[in-house]
Amino acid sequence: MRPDGNCFFRAFTFAYLESLLTDKQEFKRFKEIASKTKDDLVALGFSQFTIEDFHDTFMDVLGKIEQGMAVEDLLSIFNDQGSSDYIVVYMRLITSGYLQKEEAFFSNFVEGGRTVKEFCHQEVEPMYKESDHIHVIALTLALGVGVRVQYMDRGEGGHVNNHDFPEDKTPRIHLLYRPGHYDILY
């Protein structure tokens, strides 16, 4: 993944969509969730005008997956800066929406005297802002997708620490985290 601050969102989304290419049952479950996200965001106060293009681009990609897209075509979409950025923005919006919807819980993890909404405007919604645990937790809960993150922390012992998000889901995708950067693990 490009080390541009969007690596978590891009890695997570590509790996998950790639897995949907061969899993019709999971695709059906996810398409139902994805189709409702725009209305959920509007209900939370997001401007429909602002999110509509991002949602439409994302749903277009899901439509192509449903029609039998090849992995090379998905890779082309993610290698196109415009398409890829629209998808990343939409994942950031879904994450922000979930954090705000579950504000009572997530407010305990926001530092610096900020509200969850302020945190989302400053740390979640803007492009090129690095992701932390709170982003990973919110997105995986919002979408109901399990991810295992393998952390390389340069600590003593030379071993990798595994963390599953959310804790009650079997990991569907695997990501490698090195300080400041996420990549997909196969």
Side-chain angles (χ1 to χ4, degrees):
M1 289 295 122
R2 275 179 265 161
D4 63 359
N6 296 315
C7 54
F8 163 70
F9 289 102
R10 193 169 281 115
F12 172 89
T13 308
F14 180 85
Y16 181 60
L17 293 180
E18 182 182 31
S19 78
L20 296 180
L21 294 172
T22 57
D23 189 337
K24 302 288 186 215
Q25 185 175 348
E26 178 66 9
F27 175 83
K28 182 179 177 186
R29 181 199 74 82
F30 180 69
K31 187 176 178 191
E32 286 180 32
I33 290 170
S35 65
K36 297 175 187 174
T37 54
K38 181 175 80 171
D39 292 337
D40 292 344
L41 290 170
V42 170
L44 287 166
F46 289 82
S47 164
Q48 182 167 338
F49 176 77
T50 303
I51 62 174
E52 203 156 46
D53 286 344
F54 302 114
H55 178 261
D56 290 348
T57 298
F58 188 72
M59 294 308 291
D60 286 346
V61 172
L62 290 185
K64 290 175 183 175
I65 291 171
E66 191 170 32
Q67 293 170 7
M69 162 192 283
V71 69
E72 294 81 14
D73 297 325
L74 184 63
L75 190 57
S76 292
I77 290 169
F78 274 81
N79 280 328
D80 175 76
Q81 184 79 36
S83 299
S84 183
D85 283 354
Y86 264 53
I87 292 167
V88 167
V89 166
Y90 200 64
M91 290 298 103
R92 286 181 172 280
L93 291 170
I94 290 171
T95 303
S96 176
Y98 191 82
L99 286 165
Q100 292 178 56
K101 180 180 155 200
E102 300 297 331
E103 179 178 12
F105 174 76
F106 286 107
S107 64
N108 297 305
F109 304 100
V110 174
E111 297 175 342
R114 298 179 284 185
T115 66
V116 169
K117 191 172 200 128
E118 290 169 336
F119 175 80
C120 289
H121 290 316
Q122 296 167 4
E123 305 293 335
V124 180
E125 295 168 18
M127 291 289 280
Y128 314 113
K129 294 292 265 182
E130 290 187 10
S131 301
D132 204 345
H133 277 78
I134 195 169
H135 299 79
V136 178
I137 293 167
L139 185 61
T140 57
L141 286 171
L143 300 179
V145 177
V147 62
R148 174 167 289 158
V149 179
Q150 309 270 352
Y151 285 88
M152 295 178 66
D153 64 4
R154 298 184 188 149
E156 288 189 34
H159 66 281
V160 176
N161 297 305
N162 302 323
H163 296 281
D164 294 344
F165 301 96
E167 293 176 0
D168 64 339
K169 285 275 186 197
T170 300
R172 181 174 187 85
I173 58 175
H174 298 260
L175 302 177
L176 174 66
Y177 177 77
R178 293 169 289 171
H181 186 64
Y182 288 88
D183 277 310
I184 300 170
L185 285 175
Y186 289 95

